[in-house]
Every structure is written in structure tokens, then in C-alpha cells.
Amino acid sequence: LYKPGRAKPIAPPQLTDEDSRAAPLADEATAVKSYGIVGLSADGKEIKIEPSEALRNLIIKELNAPANGKDAGPRKTEDPDLGEGEAGRQVFGPDDREQVKNTKTYPFSAIGYLEAKSPKTGSFGSCSATLIGPRTVLTAAHCLYSHEDKDWLSDYLFVPGLNGSTADDAPFGAFTFESAYVLQGFIDNYQGYYGSVLLWDLGIVTLKQDVGTTSAGWAMPTMTIWGDFTANLVGYPGDKPMGTMWKASCEVHAENIAPEYFQYDCDTFPGSSGSSVYAYDTNSKQRIITGVNVAESPDANTAVRLNAANVQWINSLYK
């Protein structure tokens, strides 16, 4: 049951200069193992699944991928449904976020508020998340698992299209989880600081029942390395009125795109962790999820990139 006001927005991890220079894994065996699935079921059982052969091959291929996308041309990929004048912000400066007033229409109906409880303190934290299948929710791993507690959070609850501070403001209801999953590397590779696990900060929550709002229309990126593109980011930042959804757009420059992550100047705040960062393809009229918003630093915010290996990992959990 969703109880407004009980959750405090989960702060995004801070990336220091040292963190952001953390070298990706070059060792094949460790890189492949990092793409194992580690999960927790609603009845408290731990789940472990080895990476598939297809995923193993992709990871090895991506270890040899080019460093960034600066050879590709710019793409105008601002979502027309986000309104005019929001693209092109390249500085943090004044707040450029706008509230989404009608959360019942797609794509906003497939974006939601995610809540989880700390078994250690009993307190609830909130993140943002995206419904990518009838009962599959994409978010950040740090919204599901706490390195501080060395433990899973619990009682995950997804509220799609939440639009205010009462239970009546949840137009589609609230959905409990069947299981939650993170990349094995997010747990195994932690060395006491966030930069050591940035590359694996992806999480999936499988819900007990189909949500029923449309999730058709999200697309996953192909293996193409992107050039400049316009990022769209929608979620539940904690500095805005409780339970309200906010949107922003900004440019992502090719030199800020690495194989595993990219950085941008879209305004975010605790609670925005787990938001999908997506591009709007004007040709196919599809919204392509290019990454998941995970971290902040004084210079930029960071998303884990949905490269081919991450897409394969996500698809293996799709329900």
C-alpha cells in the first residue's frame, strides 16, 4: 500500500574526479562475471543467474569498443511532448525543469515513483523508475541495494504516473514487487567508493502483476555509438512538491559519451536516481532509452549507458 510522505528521496552517489577516472575492467573473466544476475525475491530468497553465452560474447566485443562517439553526427532528439525551449541547456544555471501536469498519457504513464525500505533502519527511500514491459521496471541499482548497509533494500513499491501527495494521486494504483535484480558487478566490484561500481549501477524490478498502462513505444538503442544528442529526463526530484513529476532536456556531447556511461547537464536532485534518460527518434517517432540517471558531480550528472551488453542483460529479465 502506498503511503504518501513516508519516503525520503535517495541521494544520488557523488562522483569525484578520482571516481570518474575509475578504469573499466579489462580482464575478460571478471568483466563477464560482472554481468551475472543477482536478485532478491519478495519472499527473501537470493537469486543468482550466470551470464548467457550471447551476453558473454557481447561483453568481450565491448571490451574492444572505441572510446566515445565523437565521429557520429549530431542528432536532434528532444521529445516534442516535453514542450518547447527545453533543449540546449549546457550549464546547470537556473532551474529549467518543468512539471508534468498530465501524468495519465504516454510516455508519462510509464514513468513512476519507486519506493524501498531499509531493513537496517526501517526508513523508506524514493527513486524514479520506468516501466519498460507489462511488469518490468528499469531503475538504478543503488535504489535497490545499499553498499552502506551491505544489503538489499526491501518492500519495493512502484507507483506509475504518480501526480501529487495523496494516495488518490496515483491514477493507476501502486504495484508490489515479485523480485528485484542488479548486475553482479555492482555488488562484487565495490571497493569502498561509488566510482568502483558506477558502470554496473542498473537495476530491474519485476512486479507481481501487469500494470496495465501502456509501456509500448520505449525502444532500446542499437549498437551504434551516438554522436551529440538531446537527452530527455523525467522523474521525481525531491526538491519539488511531494509526488510530482518533472521533466528536463539538455544536450549530450559526443566527447562526454564513453562505452559504459555518458555525462550531461540536465538538472536533477535526490529522487531523480533511476530516471531513464531517453532520446526521441524523429524518424520512427520512438523514444529510445539511452541510459539511466545514476550520479552527480559538481561538473555534470552521469547516466549508465544502455550499450549492447546492458540491453542484453535487461532483455534477459523482461516480463
Side-chain angles (χ1 to χ4, degrees), residues 19-30:
D19 284 352
S20 57
R21 284 197 294 269
L25 293 179
D27 172 62
E28 258 180 35
T30 311

Side-chain angles (χ1 to χ4, degrees), residues 27-41:
D27 172 62
E28 258 180 35
T30 311
V32 168
K33 189 183 175 202
S34 298
Y35 273 84
I37 293 166
V38 183
L40 179 75
S41 67

Side-chain angles (χ1 to χ4, degrees), residues 75-98:
R75 300 278 295 269
K76 292 310 289 178
T77 54
E78 184 184 12
D79 188 344
D81 286 351
L82 292 199
E84 293 299 318
E86 288 185 273
R89 284 203 51 75
Q90 293 167 25
V91 295
F92 285 99
D95 189 348
D96 70 335
R97 292 169 297 174
E98 287 184 18

Side-chain angles (χ1 to χ4, degrees), residues 187-198:
I187 297 174
D188 286 3
N189 301 337
Y190 187 63
Q191 294 162 32
Y193 63 100
Y194 176 70
S196 59
V197 290
L198 162 69

